[in-house]
Amino acid sequence: MNEDIDFLRFPLGKFTAPDIISPNQIEIWIGTLEKFPAEVERVTATLSESQLDTPYRPGGWTIRQVVHHLPDSHMNAYIRFKLAITEEHPVIRPYREERWAECEEARSAPVDISLSLLKSLHNRWTVFLRTLTDENFNRTYIHPENSKTFSLKEVLGMYVWHGNHHLAHITETVRRNKW
């Protein structure tokens, strides 16, 4: 089984923000975020411990690490949204996701812990997102790793992609292994 490593890394391709992000698109993305935890729970519900400890690609994280990574990443996103709403053009704090994924609890803890956290986080995040106006979604923050400015509407799309990207890591691993 010699699949293209780029496909294994990016089964959905890389994120590209649409040129125009309409209020309707924003609502669709919020709905996707709202349903996302249930999708992760659904695709991992029947996996055994050894299956959860299977890397999604050679040299990649295990499915367990991917599941634990999702609330780590999305908590950071939620905080970045709050910063952009409560401060003027803040510089956000990056985090070393690859190191977080190597922490012992990310490598060995039961996935239901992160599934519960993801569900609660997404409930809170989507409630918050639905309070924002079109003008709010134009607010920005700066990511210091590349000094790039991101609008919240662009970041919303990016995190929907991010969730679906990692969901595809799991579903493609299940498919390839015929679980």
Side-chain angles (χ1 to χ4, degrees):
M1 180 177 304
N2 188 13
E3 292 192 59
D4 181 44
I5 195 72
D6 283 340
F7 175 76
L8 293 176
R9 287 187 66 209
F10 296 101
L12 304 180
K14 294 186 180 181
F15 175 72
T16 303
D19 292 334
I20 297 171
I21 301 173
S22 69
N24 185 56
Q25 180 63 69
I26 289 170
E27 186 52 41
I28 290 168
W29 282 339
I30 293 170
T32 301
L33 281 181
E34 188 172 43
K35 296 173 190 160
F36 179 70
E39 283 299 302
V40 178
E41 188 170 38
R42 182 186 62 77
V43 301
T44 59
T46 61
L47 297 181
S48 69
E49 292 298 306
S50 66
Q51 290 168 334
L52 289 168
D53 291 329
T54 301
Y56 73 87
R57 68 174 169 86
W61 293 339
T62 65
I63 292 173
R64 181 184 312 276
Q65 287 171 297
V66 169
V67 172
H68 290 310
H69 164 71
L70 289 166
D72 288 347
S73 175
H74 292 194
M75 279 188 291
N76 276 281
Y78 173 72
I79 291 166
R80 291 169 180 180
F81 269 78
K82 291 284 237 181
L83 289 169
I85 291 300
T86 61
E87 300 177 18
E88 291 302 318
H89 201 58
V91 175
I92 56 102
R93 187 178 191 293
Y95 76 105
R96 303 289 303 269
E97 65 182 44
E98 69 284 356
R99 290 185 183 176
W100 287 38
E102 291 301 322
C103 290
E104 186 56 36
E105 110 287 350
R107 293 163 34 90
S108 63
V111 295
D112 63 329
I113 296 168
S114 282
L115 292 171
S116 294
L117 179 56
L118 191 67
K119 182 178 179 182
S120 294
L121 173 63
H122 276 241
N123 283 338
R124 176 80 185 271
W125 193 11
T126 57
V127 166
F128 170 66
L129 290 171
R130 287 197 170 106
T131 69
L132 302 183
T133 65
D134 292 343
E135 185 178 314
N136 290 148
F137 278 104
N138 288 321
R139 292 184 66 92
T140 58
Y141 65 69
I142 300 168
H143 198 297
E145 288 181 343
N146 53 18
S147 297
K148 185 172 179 192
T149 295
F150 291 92
S151 71
L152 291 185
K153 61 186 172 186
E154 179 183 6
V155 174
L156 178 60
M158 185 171 57
Y159 276 95
V160 168
W161 171 87
H162 177 263
N164 289 333
H165 161 76
H166 285 302
L167 188 61
H169 284 149
I170 298 167
T171 58
E172 284 300 311
T173 302
V174 168
R175 181 192 62 78
R176 276 194 319 278
N177 289 289
K178 298 179 174 75
W179 293 336

